[in-house]
Structures are given as structure tokens and as C-alpha cells.
Amino acid sequence: MKEFEGMTNESLALLYVGGNNKAFDELLSRTQSSLFAYIMFVVRNEDVANDIFQETFVKVITKLQEGRYTDSGKFTFWLTRIAHNAIMDWYRAQKSERIIDLADDNDLSNLRGDRFLDTFRENELVNEQVMSDVRRMMESLPAAQREVVYMRYYQQLSFKEIAQLTGVSINTALGRMRYALLNLRKMTREHHIELAMEY
């Protein structure tokens, strides 16, 4: 909405607290795509992701109305923290943090398709396949490891920020990343996957 152009998310949150419901609509439209992508990446189930997304925004509205938000310049960080807690609540309700089984159609050994005459297109296809294989392998990691990898490589967060968001020490966040990388390396060896990008 043009009336909110140039306003920060933090300012919109405070406007909403002050009674401006349109400010919340703008805040929702600005943040919903990236927040849903984060939740979906961690839980890997669209129905569950939708439930957690809605629960997150119910908690956001409640916290805002109760005056439990102060403008620290980090609204997105605060929002992601609430989503993280909602995800962890869902996992606790499932009573498991297990390695997720690969689906039957998840064949990691099939890296390259037919040969193409066009070298550029071939390289592009190889790179797409490499990224696809990386995503598939990441999906087989335990949720805590998958979440740290996502936050580090897709959201570009520091380990300090990851630790704060997930409520663990920096050493635990680093440990989860270390185990995630070890697991990914093990999978590449087991499935004879080459993850080199072509240029």
C-alpha cells in the first residue's frame, strides 16, 4: 500500500499496536513469503507448514496486542524466532526428532541426463541437478541440522543469530552445522554424487 511506502516493518508493527489494522495487512504481505518458505523448508509438509504459519501469526498478533514487542530494529528476527518456537512445539507434539526417510522416488545417484550439444545449456542443467540433489540430501537431515543449514546458507544468518533464534548456544549451532556437513558428505560418498558446479 502506498501509504506505508518507505516505512520499516518495525514502524508498521507499532502502528498496528496503535490500532491501525491496515499496517498489519502490509506487514503480513511483506513477510509472509519468506516466513512460509522458512517453515516449509524445515517441516517439509505443506499442510503442517500452513498450520504453523497461521499459528505463528496468531502468536504475533497476540504478542503485539499485549505490548510484548518493542522496536529493536529486528522485527523479522523476532518473527522468525516465534516461527521457530512454533515449529519446535509441533515437533515436540510429534514426540520425535528422527531422520526423515527418503522417498522411494528420491534417487540421488541420477545426476546427469542426456548429452546436449549446447554446452551452456548442459552446464545449466548439471547445475540445476546439483542444486536439486543438495536439496534432496538436506531433506534427509534431522530437522535441527536442516534448520541450521537453511538459516546459514539461505538466510545468510551468522551462527550467533542462529543460536539466538533457535535458543541454543553458539557451540550447539556450530555442532549441528558440523554434523549436517558430515552427513551430507557421507551421503555424497554413499550415492557417488559429484557436487561440482559447471561454469
Side-chain angles (χ1 to χ4, degrees):
M1 293 179 203
K2 287 204 171 190
E3 66 182 288
F4 301 121
E5 233 173 74
M7 290 187 75
T8 65
N9 290 345
E10 293 73 22
S11 300
L12 289 170
L14 295 175
L15 265 179
Y16 172 68
V17 170
N20 188 330
N21 288 333
K22 286 184 181 178
F24 185 81
D25 293 342
E26 175 68 15
L27 199 55
L28 178 62
S29 73
R30 286 185 187 184
T31 57
Q32 64 186 354
S33 294
S34 61
L35 185 69
F36 184 80
Y38 162 65
I39 296 168
M40 183 66 185
F41 187 86
V42 177
V43 300
R44 298 180 346 109
N45 178 300
E46 194 168 351
D47 291 335
V48 172
N50 278 316
D51 289 346
I52 292 173
F53 177 83
Q54 289 172 15
E55 184 182 337
T56 298
F57 268 97
V58 167
K59 288 181 177 179
V60 166
I61 289 168
T62 303
K63 288 176 189 293
L64 287 172
Q65 290 176 345
E66 291 173 351
R68 290 165 57 193
Y69 173 76
T70 52
D71 183 1
S72 62
K74 295 183 176 181
F75 179 81
T76 304
F77 189 84
W78 181 73
L79 179 66
T80 305
R81 174 75 184 180
I82 293 170
H84 166 78
N85 289 339
I87 291 167
M88 291 303 108
D89 289 344
W90 179 79
Y91 273 113
R92 279 187 212 101
Q94 303 307 306
K95 294 186 176 144
S96 66
E97 257 202 43
R98 63 198 181 283
I99 290 184
I100 298 166
D101 292 332
L102 292 172
D104 292 337
D105 63 348
N106 212 347
D107 181 7
L108 298 178
S109 62
N110 184 14
L111 249 183
R112 296 179 189 254
D114 298 323
R115 290 246 175 246
F116 292 91
L117 294 174
D118 182 354
T119 304
F120 176 76
R121 182 63 185 139
E122 182 177 334
N123 290 349
E124 196 175 64
L125 289 170
V126 168
N127 292 346
E128 286 173 12
Q129 187 63 52
V130 167
M131 292 310 294
S132 173
D133 289 337
V134 167
R135 278 192 298 276
R136 279 193 210 116
M137 287 189 301
M138 283 176 61
E139 288 173 0
S140 69
L141 294 172
Q145 292 174 23
R146 190 169 61 245
E147 182 178 41
V148 169
V149 171
Y150 183 84
M151 288 179 167
R152 183 75 180 118
Y153 292 108
Y154 289 83
Q155 294 183 318
Q156 309 287 310
L157 297 178
S158 70
F159 282 105
K160 181 180 179 185
E161 291 170 321
I162 292 168
Q164 289 173 335
L165 274 171
T166 57
V168 299
S169 69
I170 290 178
N171 285 343
T172 300
L174 287 166
R176 287 176 179 174
M177 177 61 81
R178 180 176 171 268
Y179 284 115
L181 294 175
L182 288 171
N183 284 331
L184 290 170
R185 284 188 192 118
K186 182 179 175 190
M187 282 184 255
T188 60
R189 283 193 307 272
E190 287 175 355
H191 297 284
H192 310 290
I193 295 175
E194 179 61 51
L195 293 180
M197 302 286 272
E198 301 288 339
Y199 296 99

